[in-house]
Amino acid sequence: MILIKMGGSVISDKGKYKKFREETVRRIAGVLPKKELLLVHGGGSFGHVLAHKYRIREGYEKWKILGFSEIGRDMEELNLKILKILIEEKIPAVSIPPHALFLMGDEPNMDIFHFAVDLDFVPLTFGDIIFHRSKGIEICSGDYLMLHLAREFKPEKTIFLTDVDGIYDKDPGEPGAKLISVLERNVEPETSTKVKDVTGGIAYKIEIMREIARYSKVYVLNGFHPERMKKVLDGEETIGTVII
Ligand SMILES: Nc1ncnc2c1ncn2[C@@H]1O[C@H](COP(=O)(O)OP(=O)(O)OP(=O)(O)O)[C@@H](O)[C@H]1O
Ligand SMILES: [Mg+2]
């Protein structure tokens, strides 16, 4: 089993509300396996911009309800764009929207994922709006879903695609930042979030990846270079970060 997250920073331009990167997604889809695959995608500018504006992470307040619906609509729109491309590339993907699958605060139900995979489908889930047992409303991040899918399926390889070459020793936008090829679980690189990321950005992602590394080989790769992912899938060396 292979578990892959197409980061919102790759599939969209996080600086521009709802700017989809169609060609990039098509190129990624072109190198994906067609079965034994679990797919997650992030929100990028389809999710984070309005989630920030409506302060969804702070929980329910009456004035937010239309905003919450709008984010749900935008995420389904992004999801549909990706689903269409995957199917055009002959990947039998089936969309699984988290907000209709479980309540935040409960353990996500994995039965549907197992059922789909056993029938050779490729489940496609995504960072989403979600109802929360105590906060009322919340954002369910793609990284969180990655953690639960990794725990459940113990994939051979887990790949995070972002818009940079991997994990750096500091913000890759800063001069002198160096790519960390092998990141040991106990090492903590400097991070920063200049772009809008309501679910904790790279710092949260590193935390999640550390735990996933207990079950799976974890890679962070540049999604603008799908040939690198192809190499990882084929067991070859390439540019990126592996977490051990
Ligand atoms: N030390 C670091 N190493 C790698 N990336 C870093 C680091 N510090 C900050 N970043 C930034 O983190 C970003 C990736 O995380 P981010 O959460 O924004 O993307 P994503 O997970 O692909 O998006 P989404 O949450 O929408 O799925 C990169 O654009 C990068 O510039
Ligand atoms: Mg993120």
Side-chain angles (χ1 to χ4, degrees), residues 44-114:
S45 58
F46 287 71
H48 294 284
V49 178
L50 291 190
H52 180 76
K53 177 178 166 194
Y54 289 100
R55 307 211 306 259
I56 302 298
R57 306 239 35 216
E58 292 164 35
Y60 182 86
E61 280 178 276
K62 198 115 203 192
W63 67 272
K64 300 178 181 177
I65 62 173
L66 200 57
F68 186 74
S69 297
E70 285 175 33
I71 301 161
R73 172 203 61 199
D74 291 348
M75 285 311 303
E76 299 225 24
E77 192 181 324
L78 173 62
N79 182 249
L80 183 58
K81 287 178 192 292
I82 295 170
L83 187 65
K84 282 181 177 168
I85 293 173
L86 292 170
I87 293 171
E88 279 162 21
E89 294 297 325
K90 309 280 184 263
I91 296 167
V94 175
S95 171
I96 303 179
H99 75 264
L101 187 70
F102 68 103
L103 283 170
M104 208 67 167
D106 296 349
E107 279 293 301
N109 184 339
M110 293 292 164
D111 290 357
I112 295 199
F113 290 92
H114 279 289

Side-chain angles (χ1 to χ4, degrees), residues 5 7-10 14 42-44 48 143 161-164 166-172 189-192 195 197 199 201-202 205:
K5 180 186 174 209
S9 60
V10 184
K14 283 186 91 158
H48 294 284
D143 295 325
L161 298 176
T162 73
D163 62 344
V164 293
I167 302 294
Y168 286 77
D169 59 353
K170 58 182 172 186
D171 184 334
E190 266 180 54
T191 55
S192 80
V195 283
D197 195 291
T199 44
I202 196 82
K205 201 189 304 298

Side-chain angles (χ1 to χ4, degrees), residues 27 30 131 191 201:
R27 288 197 296 124
F131 296 107
T191 55

